[in-house]
């Protein structure tokens, strides 16, 4: 083999090895959810979260554990990002919260019946609450046995929650889906990595539960 041919072969091998190394690094970055933008120095968890490449939600079984490694690796940083996001939107969140508290988020007749039942517990006041829950969904539409429905939220309450979810959905922060049947919902539990622990949302759900089932 000539010296020239040997040098050409070695050069080709070097190029192939370099290409394989580059592909390996690119795959590792993609798998961990890191993009080139992460190389930019920043102290903002919010900005770091926004450049993460969120893995696709494709599983239909045991989907609550899907992409666990991504959420475990970046979960703490994402939680800090939401704290920064709340500070960034503090004024808007305060306005929305003040508005719904002034107008009332629960349907008026249900709110009054629940308050009466807690203030003056009796069979009559309890019956008044139960009367607002029905198994009949409407004309010729009956809910399954043991399932009852009511008008829980006032129009203002519905608008309040929708505004909060709409605002959070534009944050650019990766969010984890709840389960295999729900790819576009969010988790509100602040203890779950990938959840949306926005305090007004968490407090709204807690208040709903407190108002209905806890005296």
């Amino acid at each position: 083999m000539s010296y020239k041919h040997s040098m050409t072969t070695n050069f080709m091998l070097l190029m192939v090895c370099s290409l394989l190394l580059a592909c390996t690094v690119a795959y590792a970055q993609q798998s961990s959810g890191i993009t080139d933008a992460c190389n930019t120095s920043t102290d903002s968890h919010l900005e770091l979260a926004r450049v993460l490449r969120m893995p696709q939600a494709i599983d239909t079984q045991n989907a609550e554990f899907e992409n666990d490694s991504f959420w475990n690796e970046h979960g703490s940083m994402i939680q800090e990002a939401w704290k920064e996001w709340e500070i960034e939107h503090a004024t808007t969140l305060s306005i929305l919260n003040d508005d719904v508290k002034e107008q009332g988020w629960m349907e008026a007749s249900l709110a009054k019946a629940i308050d009466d039942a807690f203030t003056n517990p009796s069979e009559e006041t309890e019956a008044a609450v139960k009367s607002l829950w029905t198994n009949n969904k409407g004309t010729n539409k009956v809910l399954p046995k043991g399932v009852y429905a009511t008008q829980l939220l006032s129009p203002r309450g519905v608008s309040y929650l929708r505004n909060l979810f709409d605002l959070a959905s534009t944050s650019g922060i990766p969010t984890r889906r709840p389960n295999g049947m729900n790819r576009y919902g969010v988790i509100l539990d602040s203890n779950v990595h990938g959840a949306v622990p926005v305090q007004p949302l968490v407090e709204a759900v807690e208040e709903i539960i407190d108002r209905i089932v806890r005296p």
Side-chain angles (χ1 to χ4, degrees):
M1 180 181 294
S2 68
Y3 175 77
K4 181 177 181 181
H5 185 271
S6 176
M7 287 292 291
T8 301
T9 302
N10 290 338
F11 178 74
M12 290 179 66
L13 286 174
L14 179 62
M15 291 296 292
V16 171
C17 290
S18 298
L19 181 60
L20 288 174
L21 178 61
C23 291
T24 301
V25 172
Y27 177 78
Q29 288 182 332
Q30 182 176 4
S31 299
S32 62
I34 299 174
T35 66
D36 292 337
C38 284
N39 293 326
T40 303
S41 178
T42 176
D43 294 327
S44 170
H45 293 96
L46 180 56
E47 293 305 315
L48 288 173
R50 282 172 170 164
V51 296
L52 286 174
R53 183 177 297 145
M54 188 172 68
Q56 288 187 322
I58 56 177
D59 289 354
T60 56
Q61 293 184 342
N62 298 320
E64 59 269 31
F65 305 110
E66 186 178 23
N67 302 310
D68 242 1
S69 59
F70 173 88
W71 299 114
N72 288 336
E73 180 179 355
H74 303 294
S76 296
M77 183 257 286
I78 289 174
Q79 288 177 330
E80 293 302 316
W82 279 115
K83 292 178 182 178
E84 289 183 21
W85 182 87
E86 280 195 63
I87 294 172
E88 190 176 277
H89 292 81
T91 301
T92 301
L93 293 173
S94 178
I95 292 172
L96 290 174
N97 191 45
D98 291 344
D99 180 61
V100 76
K101 284 188 175 180
E102 180 180 345
Q103 301 293 329
W105 57 264
M106 184 179 283
E107 198 280 324
S109 59
L110 179 63
K112 183 179 184 305
I114 291 174
D115 288 342
D116 289 345
F118 281 142
T119 303
N120 182 29
S122 67
E123 291 184 3
E124 290 76 13
T125 54
E126 183 177 337
V129 175
K130 288 182 178 180
S131 69
L132 297 173
W133 296 77
T134 176
N135 186 246
N136 193 330
K137 194 175 181 180
T139 306
N140 299 322
K141 292 183 180 180
V142 178
L143 295 171
K145 183 178 180 181
V147 177
Y148 292 83
T150 190
Q151 180 61 46
L152 176 63
L153 300 175
S154 66
R156 182 68 67 180
V158 172
S159 176
Y160 172 66
L161 290 179
R162 283 180 174 174
N163 285 333
L164 284 180
F165 279 115
D166 287 346
L167 192 61
S169 69
T170 62
S171 68
I173 302 173
T175 57
R176 188 175 193 164
R177 65 171 175 163
N179 51 59
M181 297 183 292
N182 189 342
R183 294 187 181 184
Y184 303 103
V186 296
I187 303 171
L188 299 183
D189 189 344
S190 58
N191 295 315
V192 176
H193 285 160
V196 181
V198 177
Q199 282 308 301
L201 276 173
V202 175
E203 290 169 4
V205 173
E206 290 177 344
E207 187 175 347
I208 290 172
I209 296 173
D210 287 343
R211 189 80 177 272
I212 295 176
V213 302
R214 298 171 186 158

